[in-house]
Amino acid sequence: MTPDAEFGYELLVCRHAELAWHPSEGPRPAIVSRQLGTQERRWDTVVIEVDPAAFDRRRAFGDRTIDSDLLHVVRGAPAEWAFYRDALPDPGYPWRYVRQAVHRAAGRDLIEKRRDGNRIQIRRKRPYPDWVERIVAVENKPDLDRSAADRLADQLEHDVETALADEAWLATETTGERVEPALLREMPVEAGVLATDFSGGVDAAVADVAWHPSDLSPSGGERRDPETETLRLEIAERAYGKGWRSFHDTMRPDCRHFELRREGRALVPYCAAKGKVPTARECSGSCPEFSPEPPQWRTKGWPIEGGPGKGFQRVLARRRERERDRAETVE
């Protein structure tokens, strides 16, 4: 059964993307995240297509996001020891912030550092790989009425014009019926349209391409400017660290009413008290139905493994790790 909330639909689109990306051109290795973008534009679903071998080398840097300050250090760290201010490009902001990033990077074992008198020297542990192949933005709208089509058309036009992503898509629910052509005509022709039917849950065959997207990446051997490439890499890093199952970070899995329910090959949060897929705003400590797990649940296991809420988090973390493993092997 398809969740009523757009949030629930978003989770199903993310899971489908894991199972069946690319929808029109066959399997591509990719990782999926949600609610990422820039100050001007936030995307519902983000698909990062990766080079499997380079992605394997990225994973050697750990499972956490490498943020923009750390990327400046990790990407610029030299093969041989050097004073960090000589080795790294001018950041365009005070060097004291770079020094703080150097200490953080060394603390996470991303680089090596040492002191030479009063100077901090750095050396890379391994080259940072060029692991991102393409970035795809997907807007999710299960109920595509006229007003929604108008708003989405403006958003997708922005994506097409800025070309920060390599493809832009709209995912909408059809429940077995075709998408109204008049509504599709509101969309920019460069944006793809994915018609989904999640009434029976998620698997690899529950979506059809109603319109094929255009490639928004530079043509004729041109490249994006370095600032844009860096921004794309920052988005990819956030997607890598966050994934799309991180909803438990903004919900209350420690509530006795919180469950994970299966929708075909997807697991989505479910509130047993309200009988629905809740949003992050609904699933909070201020909810009148919130009932924390009793202490005897939360102190189970040795040394302390926790109750069902901790178990849900472990399940979701394992599934994210499994999808990272799979992205290294898809050819």
Side-chain angles (χ1 to χ4, degrees):
M1 180 178 180
T2 304
D4 296 330
E6 289 188 18
F7 166 72
Y9 179 75
E10 183 175 284
L11 299 183
L12 300 188
V13 170
C14 288
R15 178 58 177 147
H16 175 72
E18 282 185 341
L19 295 170
W21 193 263
H22 187 275
S24 61
E25 298 182 13
R28 292 179 182 174
I31 57 173
V32 181
S33 189
R34 51 177 291 272
Q35 292 299 318
L36 291 178
T38 66
Q39 290 182 341
E40 293 78 25
R41 182 77 168 94
R42 180 174 292 272
W43 298 318
D44 292 339
T45 298
V46 180
V47 181
I48 310 295
E49 297 179 10
V50 305
D51 174 86
F55 184 62
D56 179 53
R57 295 194 295 274
R58 163 59 187 89
R59 295 191 69 189
F61 285 85
D63 294 334
R64 295 161 58 190
T65 294
I66 299 177
D67 62 46
S68 58
D69 290 341
L70 292 181
L71 277 174
H72 182 248
V73 174
V74 172
R75 297 172 72 193
E80 303 297 333
W81 289 107
F83 177 43
Y84 77 96
R85 291 185 61 163
D86 292 337
L88 301 177
D90 189 327
Y93 49 83
W95 280 99
R96 65 178 182 274
Y97 297 114
V98 179
R99 187 169 62 249
Q100 293 172 2
V102 165
H103 293 314
R104 286 202 295 127
R108 284 180 50 178
D109 203 30
L110 302 176
I111 63 165
E112 294 179 295
K113 73 169 184 176
R114 71 180 185 185
R115 282 197 172 272
D116 181 20
N118 291 327
R119 291 191 161 196
I120 298 173
Q121 295 185 331
I122 61 174
R123 182 174 68 178
R124 73 185 184 205
K125 295 180 69 71
R126 59 189 75 84
Y128 183 87
D130 185 14
W131 60 279
V132 179
E133 292 276 287
R134 301 171 79 247
I135 297 179
V136 180
V138 184
E139 279 301 307
N140 303 315
K141 193 65 179 178
D143 301 315
L144 188 62
D145 57 20
R146 175 66 62 183
S147 61
D150 290 340
R151 291 193 302 272
L152 287 171
D154 291 340
Q155 294 171 344
L156 291 169
E157 283 284 4
H158 177 273
D159 295 338
V160 170
E161 290 173 3
T162 59
L164 182 61
D166 297 284
E167 280 180 6
W169 286 80
L170 163 67
T172 187
E173 181 78 346
T174 63
T175 60
E177 301 176 2
R178 68 191 182 103
V179 182
E180 174 58 48
L183 297 181
L184 295 185
R185 282 198 292 269
E186 299 291 329
M187 302 299 123
V189 296
E190 296 88 350
V193 178
L194 191 66
T196 66
D197 180 3
F198 294 138
S199 57
V202 178
D203 62 35
V206 294
D208 294 308
V209 177
W211 187 266
H212 293 270
S214 299
D215 187 352
L216 304 178
S217 57
S219 59
E222 296 182 1
R223 295 182 61 87
R224 293 179 172 89
D225 64 81
E227 184 176 342
T228 300
E229 288 290 356
T230 298
L231 179 57
R232 281 164 53 87
L233 183 57
E234 291 171 3
I235 291 171
E237 275 289 342
R238 295 204 302 274
Y240 173 83
K242 179 182 178 184
W244 64 269
R245 296 174 175 87
S246 56
F247 52 80
H248 62 76
D249 292 336
T250 54
M251 290 182 149
R252 296 304 302 260
D254 59 332
C255 174
R256 68 171 71 215
H257 301 303
F258 185 94
E259 299 177 2
L260 288 178
R261 289 204 172 180
R262 185 171 294 279
E263 295 281 354
R265 296 183 63 184
L267 287 177
V268 298
Y270 185 82
C271 176
K274 297 179 179 178
K276 58 180 286 190
V277 174
T279 64
R281 177 173 294 183
E282 292 172 321
C283 186
S284 65
S286 61
C287 171
E289 303 293 338
F290 175 68
S291 178
E293 296 174 343
Q296 58 267 34
W297 289 12
R298 289 184 273 113
T299 57
K300 286 183 177 179
W302 178 259
I304 294 180
E305 296 178 3
K310 289 291 186 182
F312 295 146
Q313 294 177 28
R314 288 193 293 270
V315 167
L316 295 171
R318 286 197 299 268
R319 293 200 166 209
R320 179 180 60 183
E321 192 67 14
R322 183 187 65 190
E323 292 303 321
R324 286 172 172 170
D325 292 341
R326 196 166 68 90
E328 294 179 13
T329 59
V330 175
E331 296 292 345

